[in-house]
Amino acid sequence: EVQLVETGGGLIKPGGSLRLSCAASGLTVSGNFMSWVRQAPGKGLEWVSIMYSGGSTYYADSVKGRFVISRDNSKNTLYLQMNNLKVEDTAVYYCAGPRPHYFDYWGQGTLVIVSS
Amino acid sequence: EIVLTQSPATLSLSPGERATLSCRASQSVSNFLAWYQQKPGQAPRLLIYDASARATGIPARFSGSGSGTDFTLTISSLEPEDFALYYCQQRNNWPSWTFGQGTKVEVK
């Protein structure tokens, strides 16, 4: 059974940094296509970033240059380093995978609130 | 960026009725479209991918159709657990995936 567990969310001031983690079981992060998708409160879904199994990374324009996706194969964990956070980054952040184009498995999400 | 427009915003139906949800793309996405269901406080669940293929474990009452710019998700006979939010998502313009704004299926 695939399980994705996100942690690391919280309240942060604008301009601050936060690192989210997604611990996976039932699949290998390094062998799959793992994404971050976010959902602002009461709003729709927004794809944020993806790491391909080969290591290539891609970002939504809204976070390019501020967010960095990475993984630790030994811990089977995906990360999202979020820098220079803005109020509009406030959202539930989901980890999802394992296909490159559709999101079969999702974690329960972790809430990030950016507020002064 | 490909924009997906879902209609209607809200669909008010009774259990047992047929639900028809629409998703229109701003440009052709071929058949590279998926549908997700989301219930309050839960993560989305993949229902349909490649416009008409049901994901693992999805009941046969859910079906998808369409290609190009116009797509439909049909729930043949609504069960109580089907009242939820539904999103479409395109993969044609990768690596930039976009979602529609959602359709809420509520109890009439």
Side-chain angles (χ1 to χ4, degrees), chain A residues 7-112:
Chain A
T7 55
L11 175 62
I12 189 82
K13 288 184 167 51
S17 296
L18 210 55
R19 189 179 79 157
L20 306 183
S21 300
C22 170
S25 58
L27 62 77
T28 56
V29 166
S30 62
N32 289 283
F33 298 76
M34 301 300 297
S35 290
W36 289 96
V37 178
R38 68 184 180 183
Q39 186 170 35
K43 303 296 184 183
L45 300 164
E46 180 188 17
W47 170 78
V48 173
S49 181
I50 188 169
M51 176 170 258
Y52 281 17
S53 55
S56 299
T57 59
Y58 299 94
Y59 301 90
D61 288 343
S62 58
V63 306
K64 204 171 291 182
R66 300 188 298 122
F67 290 12
V68 178
I69 191 171
S70 64
R71 67 191 181 205
D72 184 329
N73 297 345
S74 66
K75 295 182 178 179
N76 204 27
T77 297
L78 182 76
Y79 301 101
L80 186 67
Q81 176 68 42
M82 304 187 296
N83 301 321
N84 190 20
L85 281 159
K86 304 177 180 181
V87 170
E88 52 265 37
D89 294 320
T90 294
V92 174
Y93 284 74
Y94 295 101
C95 166
R99 289 194 274 177
H101 300 300
Y102 300 123
F103 310 109
D104 301 81
Y105 302 111
W106 298 67
Q108 85 290 348
T110 187
L111 177 61
V112 173

Side-chain angles (χ1 to χ4, degrees), chain A residues 39 52 100-103 107, chain B residues 36 38 43 50 89 91 94 97:
Chain A
Q39 186 170 35
Y52 281 17
H101 300 300
Y102 300 123
F103 310 109
Chain B
Y36 298 82
Q38 186 178 34
D50 287 345
Q89 173 239 325
R91 57 148 277 197
W94 66 276
W97 296 262

Side-chain angles (χ1 to χ4, degrees), chain B residues 81-99:
Chain B
E81 61 268 26
D82 299 336
F83 292 92
L85 263 169
Y86 292 84
Y87 293 97
C88 57
Q89 173 239 325
Q90 66 82 23
R91 57 148 277 197
N92 189 60
N93 195 33
W94 66 276
S96 177
W97 296 262
T98 53
F99 293 85

Side-chain angles (χ1 to χ4, degrees), chain B residues 8 14 18 24 31-34 37 39 50 52 54 64 69 77 80 88 100:
Chain B
S14 301
R18 181 184 189 89
R24 177 164 289 179
N31 70 326
F32 300 139
L33 190 107
Q37 177 194 68
K39 297 179 181 178
D50 287 345
S52 61
R54 265 191 303 277
T69 60
S77 178
C88 57

Side-chain angles (χ1 to χ4, degrees), chain B residues 42-60:
Chain B
Q42 295 185 17
R45 176 173 72 143
L46 178 66
L47 300 174
I48 301 286
Y49 64 94
D50 287 345
S52 61
R54 265 191 303 277
T56 303
I58 301 304

